[in-house]
Amino acid sequence: MRRLVRNIKVLNVGQGDCVVFNALYDGDRNAKMTIYIDLGPGNIDITKEAKYNDIDIFLTHHHDDHMGGLRYFIGSQFHRINNIYVPDYLDELTLIAKAILNLKGIRSAKDCIEFINELNDIVNNYNFLVSLSKSSHIQVCHQDDIFYGCMRCLNPPQYLNVYKWIQECDENELKEMFYTLFEKEFADQFNEYIFGNFNVLNEEYQILDENRLFSYENNNDISRRNYVVDFIMRNRELLMAFHHKPTRKRLSKIYRQYTKCCHDTCLVLRYQEEDFSFLLTGDASKKVFKRLINNNELIYSQYLKVPHHGSKNNLTSKILSWINPEVAIISHDNGRFGKAKDSHPNQEILDMLTKNKTKILITNDVIKDGKIIMKKKNHCSDGYIEIK
């Protein structure tokens, strides 16, 4: 097994994630590479942290606060992207985002521009990756993939367990529901994807606008189409309620369910080298960790990148006890979302880590009720946390 001689930095990119490995393959001084796990929201030029010109990039999911920094690499004369690794089901998640954007009434709904813009960003980010696939190798990742001999992918699983909607439900009833929910042009394309020739990306049925990002062994894999239908069927009451009365509150509930799907399929990577281990979690949900624990997967790690910037919705004391980190790193900028009363990192997470006697490192001061309760200066004085 090859070993990486590594230097690791967790950058302060605000409310986002960016972890940088500058690595040499042990025993091969010519094998020099910079590895990025997420790229932040694009508010700072992260390319200056690349010690070597050969670059691999892992995008845990395609939300802006994790891949916005990709634009800094485009057209660069000094860096070469070898590979971009992204999670499985990115095609399907993009299609679901487009489905939400094509709900009847969404254009007339008041005060919904925030969610519409975020969904459009997701679709645009996908199309940006598609454009890069012409010049860089983009690879879909799922559980049990191994990188560099010492980094293992733990999530998402290659096959998600969903109900067999397409096989078990009446086709005409499903089609009728899709035509009820979606604008006709999109409903035509969507039905062709679900029930037709399955190649939704030809000239007649370009439901994702561009060529698919990935090639699967079985492009007609019905489980992937069932995954898309599963989102609609599990949320059909919310979708129908929005159809009858399109309001911000109802769209926000739909968007939250969509975000959960993104977090459920988020890349989780575990790096281990001799007596050093680091769990990189992106915005992975509780559901991800519960699955890993139930399957007796090794998630113990000395270092933990706390999921979702310290949100209480992504970590529990049981999950923390299984990881049992000596050091927890929180990448955040005191973001507060929706009607939440507490900002990231949530106080419950800070208390949980303290009770577990886990050392906390932060990329920014933690502010609660207008007061700094935890200072970054001892952790991140130069704009990054360094792990040696």
Side-chain angles (χ1 to χ4, degrees), residues 139-187:
Q139 180 176 325
V140 61
C141 303
H142 45 70
Q143 187 172 7
D144 294 330
D145 285 344
I146 305 292
F147 308 95
Y148 322 114
C150 52
M151 185 180 291
R152 181 168 179 249
C153 182
L154 302 179
N155 195 71
Q158 186 173 5
Y159 300 105
L160 296 173
N161 185 23
V162 296
Y163 183 73
K164 297 180 179 180
W165 297 104
I166 299 171
Q167 299 96 315
E168 301 295 336
C169 294
D170 182 84
E171 179 177 328
N172 290 328
E173 288 183 6
L174 286 177
K175 285 182 176 180
E176 183 179 354
M177 181 178 63
F178 300 153
Y179 277 112
T180 298
L181 291 173
F182 305 127
E183 297 290 347
K184 184 180 183 306
E185 182 179 359
F186 181 84

Side-chain angles (χ1 to χ4, degrees), residues 188-204:
D188 287 341
Q189 297 169 353
F190 191 77
N191 277 315
E192 183 65 23
Y193 165 69
I194 298 297
F195 302 108
N197 64 14
F198 312 138
N199 179 13
V200 299
L201 307 158
N202 58 28
E203 292 182 0
E204 186 176 359

Side-chain angles (χ1 to χ4, degrees), residues 5 32 44 52 57 71 108 111 131-132 142 150 154 170 193 207 213 224 250 268 273 305 314 320 322 354 368 373 385:
V5 180
K32 303 176 180 180
I44 63 170
Y52 308 115
I57 294 173
R71 63 187 179 89
S108 61
D111 303 320
S131 69
L132 292 180
H142 45 70
C150 52
L154 302 179
D170 182 84
Y193 165 69
I207 202 164
L213 198 54
R224 295 183 178 277
R250 288 173 175 175
V268 174
E273 168 203 328
K305 202 294 296 180
N314 297 66
L320 183 64
W322 276 80
T354 301
K368 302 293 182 186
I373 67 166
I385 298 167

Side-chain angles (χ1 to χ4, degrees), residues 84-289:
I84 300 177
Y85 299 100
V86 295
D88 207 344
Y89 290 88
L90 200 61
D91 284 333
E92 289 71 26
L93 286 169
T94 304
L95 180 52
I96 294 170
K98 291 201 72 173
I100 298 171
L101 287 168
N102 280 275
L103 288 171
K104 291 179 180 177
I106 197 166
R107 293 174 179 81
S108 61
K110 295 182 179 179
D111 303 320
C112 290
I113 192 65
E114 171 191 352
F115 305 112
I116 293 171
N117 286 343
E118 289 178 2
L119 289 164
N120 275 320
D121 285 342
I122 286 167
V123 175
N124 291 335
N125 286 341
Y126 176 91
N127 289 336
F128 185 38
L129 285 171
V130 169
S131 69
L132 292 180
S133 67
K134 297 174 177 63
S135 58
S136 299
H137 179 242
I138 299 183
Q139 180 176 325
V140 61
C141 303
H142 45 70
Q143 187 172 7
D144 294 330
D145 285 344
I146 305 292
F147 308 95
Y148 322 114
C150 52
M151 185 180 291
R152 181 168 179 249
C153 182
L154 302 179
N155 195 71
Q158 186 173 5
Y159 300 105
L160 296 173
N161 185 23
V162 296
Y163 183 73
K164 297 180 179 180
W165 297 104
I166 299 171
Q167 299 96 315
E168 301 295 336
C169 294
D170 182 84
E171 179 177 328
N172 290 328
E173 288 183 6
L174 286 177
K175 285 182 176 180
E176 183 179 354
M177 181 178 63
F178 300 153
Y179 277 112
T180 298
L181 291 173
F182 305 127
E183 297 290 347
K184 184 180 183 306
E185 182 179 359
F186 181 84
D188 287 341
Q189 297 169 353
F190 191 77
N191 277 315
E192 183 65 23
Y193 165 69
I194 298 297
F195 302 108
N197 64 14
F198 312 138
N199 179 13
V200 299
L201 307 158
N202 58 28
E203 292 182 0
E204 186 176 359
Y205 297 104
Q206 289 191 339
I207 202 164
L208 290 176
D209 295 335
E210 300 286 348
N211 292 327
R212 269 187 182 269
L213 198 54
F214 315 119
S215 295
Y216 303 107
E217 291 183 5
N218 181 4
N219 282 331
N220 296 342
D221 187 354
I222 198 169
S223 68
R224 295 183 178 277
R225 289 178 280 135
N226 272 319
Y227 177 76
V228 176
V229 178
D230 186 66
F231 178 87
I232 296 170
M233 296 302 290
R234 284 187 296 104
N235 295 287
R236 60 188 179 275
E237 290 185 9
L238 287 176
L239 295 166
M240 290 302 295
F242 183 83
H243 172 70
H244 291 299
K245 188 176 181 180
T247 65
R248 173 185 171 85
K249 182 177 181 180
R250 288 173 175 175
L251 185 60
S252 70
K253 290 181 179 179
I254 295 169
Y255 181 76
R256 284 200 297 271
Q257 292 302 314
Y258 175 74
T259 299
K260 286 181 181 179
C261 290
C262 294
H263 292 174
D264 289 345
T265 57
C266 178
L267 277 186
V268 174
L269 302 166
R270 186 176 184 273
Y271 174 89
Q272 181 160 13
E273 168 203 328
E274 295 182 344
D275 59 350
F276 174 85
S277 53
F278 192 0
L279 190 64
L280 299 134
T281 61
D283 285 356
S285 64
K286 293 176 185 176
K287 182 178 179 180
V288 170
F289 296 111

